[in-house]
Structures are given as C-alpha cells and as structure tokens.
Amino acid sequence: MEQQDQSMKEEGRLTLVLALATLIAAFGSSFQYGYNVAAVNSPALLMQQFYNETYYSRTGEFIEDFPLTLLWSVTVSMFPFGGFIGSLLVGPLVNKFGRKGALLFNNIFSIVPAILMGCSKVAKSFELIIISRLLVGICAGLSSNVVPMYLGELAPKNLRGALGVVPQLFITVGILVAQIFGLRNLLANVDGWPILLGLTGVPAALQLLLLPFFPESPRYLLIQKKDEEAAKKALQRLRGWDSVDREVAEIRQEDEAEKAAGFISVLKLFRMRSLRWQLLSVIVLMAGQQLSGVNAIYYYADQIYLSAGVQEDHVQYVTAGTGAVNVVMTICAVFVVELLGRRLLLLLGFSICLTACCVLTAALALQDTVSWMPYVSIVCVIAYVIGHALGPSPIPALLITEIFLQSSRPSAFMVGGSVHWLSNFAVGLIFPFIQEGLGPYSFIVFAVICLLTTIYVFLIVPETKAKTFIEINQIFTKMNKVSEVHPEKEELKELPPVTSEQ
C-alpha cells in the first residue's frame, strides 16, 4: 500500500486545485490572445466605414482608399507589434511579480483597452481602437509566454506536456468564439461590433477575481524568493498530499545547479555556450511555427472557400467550422502529448503542413482547369489546420519551459516570444506582396520552411517527455559539449567532460 502511494506521488495526479489554476490562467489570458486575433476580421468593413464617417464628421471629407487601407493595416498590425513589446516585458515582470503576479498585472492591458474599444463608437474616435489594439497586443505577448511558464512550473513532470498544451487550446477556443460572435446576425453588425471588441475584458476580469486564490509557482517561491515554506505549501495544495519532500529536493537540486549563475539576461543567454542548442532550438521552432504559413492559410481560406463554390454568405460559417476543427485537434494534442511525446508531434505536425502546402499549391494552380480541384484546396486547408494544431502550434512554448532551467527561463521566453511576434508581424506584412508576386505558388515558400524545420527537429530536438528539468538539462549539456551546468565556469574548464554520477 505504501509502495503504491509512493508510486502515485512520483507520477502526480490532476488535482482540483491544479485543474482550476490551469483553466483560470489559460481562460483569463490565452483565450484573449485567440479572441483578439480573430475579433476584427468579421467587422472589418463596418469598422473601416466607421473610420470614414468619423473622419468626415471632423473634416467634411472622406478618407481616400489608400490612406484608409493604410489606417486599417496599422490597426491590425498594432496587435502583433504590441505582442513583441509584451514579450520584452516578460523577464522583468515574472522576476519582479512572480508568474501569477505577472498574469494579474497583465489584466491591465486587457481591461483598459476593452473599455476603450467598447466606447470608441460613442466617443467617435478610431484612435482609441488603434491604441487599444496595441495594448491588447502587449497583453497577448505577455500571456503567450507567462501562461506556459506558470503552468509548466505548477505541473508534475508526467502532466507537464498535457497542461503545457492547454494555453494553445484556449487560444484556438478564443479564435472560435470570436468567429461565432463575429457572425453577421450576432455581433458583426453596425451596432454590435464595439461590443464584440469590448468582450475581451470579461475573461480578464474573471481572472483578476479568481487567480489570487491559487498558488504561485513553487519553483519561483523556492529558487527566486528563497521561501521554502511557501513553496512546500504551494506544492501540498497542488498535489493534494503533505509529503512533497521529493519534489522540493528536485527543485533544490535545480537551485544548486544554477546558484552560481544568478539571473541570466538575454545578452548573457546569447553568449553562453552551455545554452547554445537550447536557444537555437527555440528560435527555429518559434520562427517555424509562424513562418510556416498558419496565418496566411487563414488569410487565404475565405478565397479558397469562395473559389470552391461556397456562397459568400456561407463562408463565415465554413470559416467557423475550420476554427472548430482547430479546437478539436488541439484537444487531441492535450491527450496525446504525454503518450506520443513532443518530438513526434512536432515531426508529424510539420510533415502534414509540408504536404498540405505542396498539394495546395498544385490545387490552386489547377483550380481553373480541373473542376474538382477547389475541393482539394478545402481539404488541404483543413489538413494544414489539423497538422499545425497537433504540433507546431502547442509544442514550442511547452519546450521553452522544459529545456531551460529557472535562471534562464524568463530570458528564453523573451527571445522565443520576440521571434514569435516578429515572425507573425512579418507574415502579415509581407504575405499580401508574396501572394501578388507568386499567386498560387505562394505556399511553396511555406513548404520550404516546414521542410527545414522538420529536418532540424529530426536531427537536433530531443524527446523531453516524462523527464525532470535537470535530466533534460543534462541531455543538452552533452550536446553543447560542456562539462556541467554551471555556465560561468565553462571558460575555465579545459578538461574533458566529466560523467555525472547516477
């Protein structure tokens, strides 16, 4: 009986406290990221009309086509630009306020712009929308990095993968909810669009009320705050039992391994040989995630559906259906990530995206000459969404939590988040020109990126399933050809690597 109890404790189970902390953190933060990605798509023409009418009421003239397009482009692109700024704030905020504290602070960047966007039509100010898009972008940039870090540090090692995918699940749910609320007979109409934009403040308000009742990251409490008693209490609440000495010892071991390193800044991160492959892997995976064409696929989807014969009034429902497929496949990823592992899901996901891009290119090139090709295009879009939801979307952020130790994790998330948002911004900015120049062959560019990322994952990225942070660190120590995890001493070591005692 005692042995069975010990075995259960080693594995860790999903307690009510852990489940609720995961749901509140992901719903209050990650949901908003997805919601704000999709919220402006449906009412875009109505909002541009509002821009024009507002300008006319001030000047007596309408905005010409090019300035109006530019103004709308700025409105949309403020979101990823804000995301980039949010990523730069991750390190300072999680070290000053903790993981939970950073999420609570982040709600400022959601509630304030929600009020501003909700009041923009009454105030007759489109400038409020542009400023608000920047602020909700900062919120998304912070949450897309802090939530995976927080949940990765709360979870026992056997649940870390599943809980690490939950933020991505709530991003897809946010996209789907925005698509549903954005139907023309719901909120994507003249009176409803300010409400559609303002609803982003509701999850933030709920998180602000509920998250304070849940534990801070035990790793943050023990390693950075040096409060072992608070860390033990947090672990006891999360695990549902009193005996947490084994896990405390593992966290203490991580602390000892990193004690001499202190806080590792972004600059120091780039200079450290002991973190070389970890950092390169984060950059490749985050760039591959965004530059593989996921946003372009969504951008192109309506056009593909129209060319396949879907009526214009029905396209919004088909698009929402694609969003539902995304949610379902991300739910599948939650359940299979601990079964199949991170590496296999990345390889499988990028391979499906690669195949879908290649076939889609052929289908788009032939759709005017072969009658059934438009239907192949629809299948390719759905296949791409399935592939991306399985691996490229959820796994990279989870891996940042796993392959970096406590002192370097915030800076690693800053780098990963910056690459994520800059790549997102670049695709949004450049894809229309690629589309204009290459036409149906646009997706060859994304196919090449999927192929290169797949090769990198196959050759370099190790499996991290069911391993402690220290065990994962030891795998990379061998790859980086350094003797131990103390980075500041590596330049003093000219001796061959020492085998760790088991």
Side-chain angles (χ1 to χ4, degrees):
M1 184 70 183
E2 191 178 331
Q3 198 170 14
Q4 187 183 359
D5 189 46
Q6 182 61 35
S7 171
M8 193 173 94
K9 288 179 182 181
E10 281 177 24
E11 281 303 299
R13 56 189 170 84
L14 185 62
T15 60
L16 182 63
V17 172
L18 180 57
L20 289 176
T22 301
L23 292 175
I24 291 163
F27 176 64
S29 297
S30 303
F31 176 90
Q32 292 181 73
Y33 173 3
Y35 187 86
N36 285 295
V37 163
V40 294
N41 292 345
S42 297
L45 292 175
L46 294 168
M47 291 172 70
Q48 288 174 59
Q49 187 181 330
F50 165 68
Y51 284 23
N52 227 334
E53 290 169 356
T54 303
Y55 189 79
Y56 182 80
S57 68
R58 293 175 188 175
T59 64
E61 297 177 359
F62 287 111
I63 309 174
E64 292 180 13
D65 286 348
F66 179 75
L68 181 60
T69 304
L70 185 62
L71 198 59
W72 181 248
S73 177
V74 169
T75 304
V76 174
S77 61
M78 277 295 104
F79 183 72
F81 182 68
F84 171 63
I85 295 171
S87 296
L88 298 180
L89 296 174
V90 170
L93 286 180
V94 295
N95 288 315
K96 183 176 177 59
F97 298 122
R99 281 60 169 148
K100 185 179 81 170
L103 289 177
L104 291 171
F105 178 82
N106 192 31
N107 288 313
I108 296 170
F109 298 113
S110 177
I111 293 170
V112 171
I115 294 167
L116 294 178
M117 287 189 289
C119 298
S120 58
K121 190 177 180 185
V122 176
K124 295 185 178 178
S125 172
F126 55 76
E127 293 87 352
L128 287 179
I129 297 173
I130 296 171
I131 293 166
S132 298
R133 289 284 292 173
L134 177 68
L135 292 175
V136 293
I138 292 172
C139 173
L142 274 163
S143 67
S144 63
N145 293 291
V146 179
V147 177
M149 190 190 308
Y150 178 55
L151 298 185
E153 292 179 11
L154 290 189
K157 66 180 181 181
N158 62 301
L159 294 177
R160 203 166 55 224
L163 297 191
V165 175
V166 169
Q168 182 61 35
L169 171 61
F170 273 84
I171 290 171
T172 62
V173 171
I175 292 170
L176 179 60
V177 169
Q179 288 170 337
I180 293 169
F181 285 174
L183 296 173
R184 293 185 193 99
N185 56 351
L186 288 179
L187 291 176
N189 49 54
V190 176
D191 298 320
W193 67 260
I195 300 169
L196 177 67
L197 299 184
L199 283 175
T200 188
V202 174
L206 285 171
Q207 186 184 79
L208 202 57
L209 289 171
L210 299 174
L211 194 60
F213 297 102
F214 291 88
E216 177 57 271
S217 158
R219 276 183 153 73
Y220 171 77
L221 293 170
L222 181 56
I223 295 177
Q224 278 158 284
K225 299 297 283 184
K226 307 299 179 189
D227 191 343
E228 187 169 322
E229 194 57 38
K232 273 188 177 180
K233 284 180 182 174
L235 278 172
Q236 285 164 353
R237 284 191 67 201
L238 290 164
R239 303 294 177 258
W241 51 67
D242 293 333
S243 180
V244 292
D245 294 341
R246 187 187 181 97
E247 203 166 350
V248 169
E250 189 248 306
I251 298 173
R252 206 183 289 117
Q253 184 187 1
E254 183 181 338
D255 186 25
E256 288 298 320
E258 298 242 282
K259 193 165 277 183
F263 171 69
I264 296 173
S265 65
V266 171
L267 196 61
K268 190 175 179 183
L269 195 65
F270 275 95
R271 290 203 304 254
M272 286 170 56
R273 185 181 162 195
S274 60
L275 295 173
R276 179 176 52 194
W277 281 112
Q278 293 96 310
L279 187 62
L280 186 59
S281 296
V282 165
I283 292 169
V284 169
L285 289 174
M286 280 298 186
Q289 180 195 66
Q290 292 300 309
L291 299 178
S292 58
V294 62
N295 293 319
I297 284 280
Y298 281 118
Y299 181 85
Y300 218 92
D302 284 10
Q303 206 171 320
I304 290 169
Y305 295 146
L306 286 169
S307 69
V310 178
Q311 292 179 24
E312 193 168 348
D313 288 345
H314 296 161
V315 165
Q316 58 179 340
Y317 300 107
V318 181
T319 303
T322 308
V325 170
N326 199 2
V327 172
V328 170
M329 293 315 299
T330 309
I331 291 170
C332 291
V334 171
F335 290 101
V336 301
V337 67
E338 292 298 351
L339 183 68
L340 300 179
R342 290 68 156 143
R343 189 170 181 272
L344 182 57
L345 285 182
L346 283 172
L347 290 170
L348 183 65
F350 276 114
S351 299
I352 292 172
C353 292
L354 165 63
T355 307
C357 284
C358 292
V359 178
L360 181 58
T361 301
L364 290 173
L366 297 171
Q367 70 179 9
D368 294 329
T369 54
V370 181
S371 61
W372 45 269
M373 272 299 166
Y375 301 103
V376 175
S377 300
I378 291 179
V379 172
C380 287
V381 169
I382 294 169
Y384 183 97
V385 168
I386 288 170
H388 214 274
L390 278 176
S393 285
I395 304 299
L398 165 62
L399 278 177
I400 299 177
T401 303
E402 294 189 320
I403 66 178
F404 287 91
L405 295 180
Q406 196 77 9
S407 61
S408 53
R409 198 172 290 134
S411 293
F413 268 102
M414 286 171 70
V415 173
S418 299
V419 172
H420 171 102
W421 287 103
L422 286 175
S423 301
N424 187 331
F425 182 74
V427 170
L429 202 64
I430 296 168
F431 179 70
F433 299 102
I434 294 174
Q435 188 185 349
E436 195 175 323
L438 298 178
Y441 300 100
S442 307
F443 290 95
I444 286 292
V445 177
F446 302 125
V448 170
I449 290 166
C450 287
L451 176 62
L452 293 174
T453 312
T454 305
I455 292 169
Y456 181 88
V457 172
F458 182 76
L459 294 176
I460 302 297
V461 177
E463 182 53 71
T464 58
K465 180 180 76 170
K467 291 181 172 68
T468 67
F469 293 135
I470 288 291
E471 288 167 344
I472 296 164
N473 188 266
Q474 286 168 348
I475 294 170
F476 278 100
T477 296
K478 291 174 185 172
M479 289 173 62
N480 291 318
K481 295 184 170 61
V482 291
S483 58
E484 52 178 302
V485 293
H486 296 298
E488 79 296 341
K489 296 179 183 174
E490 68 191 29
E491 70 277 10
L492 304 175
K493 300 275 184 174
E494 299 297 334
L495 299 172
V498 179
T499 307
S500 305
E501 287 183 31
Q502 298 297 319

